[in-house]
């Protein structure tokens, strides 16, 4: 780890020139035809994206969002040669438990904005941005897609903030980071709460549905369908991130479509459109952070590096599937999730398991009430 342990205050300050450039690019977008009508079977429909892009360019108030974000205490520190951006929201309770919240792809600290207030009643919150995402850019060197390296950096961050012991919550790739924290910091992690976990290897064989109950069978069938029809984005990022990077870095419409498609596919199934699950302004704030920081390209490379490590770890994970977790573990499963308990917890070691009929892959944005309540319930001290 670096010997420079300075923690520096941070403010988001997108230049007028960059804001004008975004609006100009949106106004000059060259739109493709949509040959199959206006459904989502071939990707994001042109009519939907044109309407959203028009709002992004002429109706969305980035300056208001920027000012609101700057009301939250933000900092940067350099760890292992990489600038790490993070939020640090201290609870009014001096004895509050430190809690590190880790996002996944395609996301950033913006994902957790709606849970900051309810969670800060009980926790000191640390919300770091993964290297290559948001304001943890540019990436200083390769290798930050390795989640072991990220987990080690998170533990160093918590040390710098003076937290000897802490709790962790993660979603998507952030779940991987959170699961690794007790391994890289034995004895320091009080517990791990997870959402958005994959039930099986993304490029592996379909899940065998025999013996599953009705709810888990539906999740397995959905996962198997996604294996066949919904992993194009992952194949590209896991194999040719630089080729994709040119489009994401040069076209705001391309970046918008790349993220919006995932919000359509991964959010609550009851939501017809992405902005039925997450408000337009929140969705476009998340996309804007990607655009202004060039994170579409660098996060694609992080996915590429992470998948190389994930493939290597897959066999080892199967060998150790029945081993107790390194720290007490809890899961929250939402309506749009494919998480199956018999696959992620075959030996029954997970002590907290919640299932909800609302929400999806981005519960902190979709159902912050449910997520914050479940995190509080998991980490609550035992009754006397």
């Amino acid at each position: 780890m670096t010997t420079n342990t300075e923690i520096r205050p941070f403010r988001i300050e997108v230049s007028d020139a960059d804001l004008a450039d975004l609006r100009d690019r949106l106004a000059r977008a060259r739109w493709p035809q949509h040959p199959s009508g206006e459904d989502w079977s071939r990707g994001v429909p042109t009519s939907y994206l044109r309407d959203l892009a028009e709002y992004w360019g002429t109706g969305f108030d980035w300056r208001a969002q920027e000012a609101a974000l700057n009301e939250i205490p933000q900092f940067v520190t350099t760890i292992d040669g990489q600038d790490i951006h993070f939020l640090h929201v201290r609870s009014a309770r001096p004895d509050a438990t430190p809690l590190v919240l880790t996002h996944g792809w395609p996301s950033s600290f913006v994902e957790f904005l709606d849970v900051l207030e309810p969670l800060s009643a009980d926790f000191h919150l640390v919300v770091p941005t993964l290297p290559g995402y948001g304001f943890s850019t540019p990436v200083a060197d390769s290798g930050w897609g390795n989640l072991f390296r990220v987990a080690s950096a998170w533990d160093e961050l918590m040390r710098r903030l003076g937290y000897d012991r802490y709790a962790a919550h993660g979603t998507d790739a952030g779940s991987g980071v959170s699961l690794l924290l007790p391994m890289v910091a034995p004895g320091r992690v009080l517990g791990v709460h997870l959402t958005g976990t994959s039930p099986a290897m993304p490029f592996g064989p379909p899940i065998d549905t025999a013996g599953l109950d009705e709810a888990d069978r539906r999740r397995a069938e959905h996962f198997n369908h996604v294996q066949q029809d919904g992993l194009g984005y992952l194949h590209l990022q896991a194999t040719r991130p630089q080729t994709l990077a040119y489009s994401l870095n040069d076209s705001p419409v391309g970046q918008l479509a790349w993220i919006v498609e995932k919000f359509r596919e991964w959010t609550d199934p009851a939501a017809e459109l992405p902005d039925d699950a997450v408000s337009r302004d929140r969705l476009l704030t998340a996309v804007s952070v990607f655009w202004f920081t060039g994170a579409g390209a660098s996060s694609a490379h992080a996915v590429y590096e992470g998948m190389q490590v994930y493939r290597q770890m897959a066999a080892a994970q199967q060998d150790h599937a029945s081993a107790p977790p390194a720290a007490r573990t809890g899961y929250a499963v939402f309506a749009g999730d494919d998480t199956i308990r018999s696959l992620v917890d075959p030996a029954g070691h997970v002590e907290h398991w919640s299932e909800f009929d609302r929400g999806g892959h981005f519960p902190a944005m979709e159902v912050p009430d449910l997520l914050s309540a479940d995190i509080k319930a998991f980490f609550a001290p035992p009754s006397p």
Side-chain angles (χ1 to χ4, degrees):
M1 294 295 177
T2 180
T3 57
N4 177 13
T5 60
E6 179 188 11
I7 294 175
R8 311 181 296 276
F10 180 85
R11 284 182 60 82
I12 302 170
E13 295 178 335
V14 172
S15 70
D16 289 341
D18 284 345
L19 190 54
D21 176 69
L22 167 63
R23 290 169 175 162
D24 179 62
R25 289 171 185 259
L26 289 169
R28 293 187 298 106
R30 192 171 70 169
W31 293 96
Q33 291 183 328
H34 194 115
S36 63
E38 288 299 312
D39 63 29
W40 290 73
S41 60
R42 301 193 185 193
V44 185
T46 304
S47 62
Y48 175 79
L49 200 68
R50 289 192 76 149
D51 180 64
L52 190 59
E54 171 69 18
Y55 178 70
W56 193 15
T58 63
F60 175 70
D61 189 345
W62 166 255
R63 289 300 183 207
Q65 300 299 322
E66 183 182 67
L69 295 176
N70 283 330
E71 291 294 316
I72 306 167
Q74 299 179 59
F75 304 88
V76 171
T77 192
T78 305
I79 302 176
D80 197 13
Q82 174 64 41
D83 281 352
I84 302 295
H85 166 265
F86 64 98
L87 311 182
H88 189 197
V89 180
R90 291 186 183 272
S91 174
R93 285 180 48 192
D95 63 341
T97 300
L99 172 64
V100 58
L101 303 168
T102 308
H103 67 87
W105 182 91
S107 195
S108 69
F109 70 97
V110 172
E111 181 167 354
F112 293 112
L113 294 179
D114 292 326
V115 297
L116 295 180
E117 182 176 355
L119 288 179
S120 63
D122 298 285
F123 301 95
H124 298 308
L125 301 176
V126 180
V127 189
T129 301
L130 293 169
Y133 294 69
F135 298 100
S136 290
T137 51
V139 180
D141 60 11
S142 61
W144 280 104
N146 184 334
L147 300 187
F148 277 102
R149 187 179 186 186
V150 176
S152 296
W154 271 207
D155 184 59
E156 171 64 14
L157 173 61
M158 298 304 276
R159 286 181 186 274
R160 291 184 187 182
L161 294 172
Y163 297 134
D164 293 328
R165 302 197 72 199
Y166 55 90
H169 163 78
T171 185
D172 191 81
S175 289
V177 174
S178 299
L179 281 169
L180 294 174
L181 276 170
M183 301 181 194
V184 303
R188 285 173 45 78
V189 180
L190 298 167
V192 175
H193 183 274
L194 306 170
T195 64
T197 57
S198 176
M201 176 68 179
F203 298 129
I207 296 173
D208 184 358
T209 61
L212 297 178
D213 63 29
E214 182 179 352
D216 281 350
R217 186 173 66 253
R218 286 198 303 269
R219 294 188 181 102
E221 289 171 348
H222 181 262
F223 178 84
N224 292 341
H225 171 73
V226 170
Q227 285 274 67
Q228 294 180 331
D229 193 51
L231 289 184
Y233 80 98
L234 188 55
H235 280 281
L236 280 173
Q237 294 188 131
T239 58
R240 296 295 184 271
Q242 185 60 22
T243 302
L244 174 65
Y246 300 109
S247 297
L248 297 181
N249 207 57
D250 188 60
S251 169
V253 168
Q255 178 67 90
L256 180 64
W258 196 245
I259 290 178
V260 160
E261 182 189 78
K262 299 301 107 185
F263 273 78
R264 171 46 160 65
E265 293 187 350
W266 294 349
T267 51
D268 191 326
E272 182 178 354
L273 297 172
D275 41 326
D276 293 331
V278 177
S279 74
R280 275 197 167 192
D281 281 356
R282 183 67 85 224
L283 179 60
L284 289 173
T285 298
V287 176
S288 296
V289 168
F290 261 76
W291 174 255
F292 289 129
T293 62
S298 53
S299 67
H301 280 280
V303 171
Y304 171 87
E305 294 172 358
M307 286 304 300
Q308 310 312 306
V309 176
Y310 189 75
R311 288 187 178 100
Q312 297 168 15
M313 289 175 59
Q317 286 177 330
Q318 290 297 321
D319 293 339
H320 295 87
S322 297
R328 58 185 297 260
T329 306
Y331 283 77
V333 181
F334 296 89
D337 287 340
D338 296 330
T339 308
I340 298 171
R341 184 165 194 172
S342 61
L343 297 181
V344 302
D345 183 32
H349 292 302
V350 171
E351 66 177 75
H352 175 95
W353 188 277
S354 300
E355 296 187 9
F356 300 97
D357 60 4
R358 293 190 288 130
H361 193 71
F362 306 95
M365 303 175 84
E366 299 177 65
V367 284
D369 56 334
L370 297 182
L371 179 63
S372 57
D374 200 68
I375 291 174
K376 288 182 179 184
F378 175 61
F379 290 112
S383 301

